[in-house]
Amino acid sequence: ITIPSEQGRHKAFFMCLPHLAVVSLFLSTAIFASLKPPSISSLSLNLVVSVLYSVVPPAENPLIYSMRNQELK
C-alpha cells in the first residue's frame, strides 16, 4: 500500500509510533530479563523489569487508542 500525500504518510507514521514504542519497551525488557547475568540480580531491579514488562504495555494501550480515536474524529 502506498500513501500518496505527505500529510497521509505523516499521519500514518504518528499513528504507528506509540505502538512501536510499546513493542520496543516490551521486547527490550524481555531481552534484558533473559540475558542479564545473575551477578547483577537484585530484588529492586527484578521488580522494575517485571513491572516494565507486564504492567506498562497493557496500561498504555487504552491511552494509545483514546489518542487515536481523538485523531480520527
Side-chain angles (χ1 to χ4, degrees):
I1 290 179
T2 59
I3 302 172
S5 70
E6 181 69 28
Q7 183 182 11
R9 285 192 294 272
H10 187 263
K11 186 175 181 178
F13 175 73
F14 280 103
M15 294 289 273
C16 292
L17 194 60
H19 294 287
L20 292 174
V22 170
V23 169
S24 65
L25 175 70
F26 184 75
L27 291 177
S28 63
T29 54
I31 290 169
F32 178 77
S34 63
L35 296 180
K36 72 178 173 75
S39 61
I40 61 169
S41 181
S42 70
L43 183 61
S44 61
L45 180 64
N46 289 340
L47 181 64
V48 168
V49 169
S50 64
V51 167
L52 285 176
Y53 180 75
S54 60
V55 174
V56 174
E60 287 182 348
N61 278 333
L63 177 67
I64 290 170
Y65 285 112
S66 67
M67 289 179 359
R68 187 175 180 187
N69 287 339
Q70 288 174 356
E71 287 180 12
L72 291 176
K73 289 180 182 178

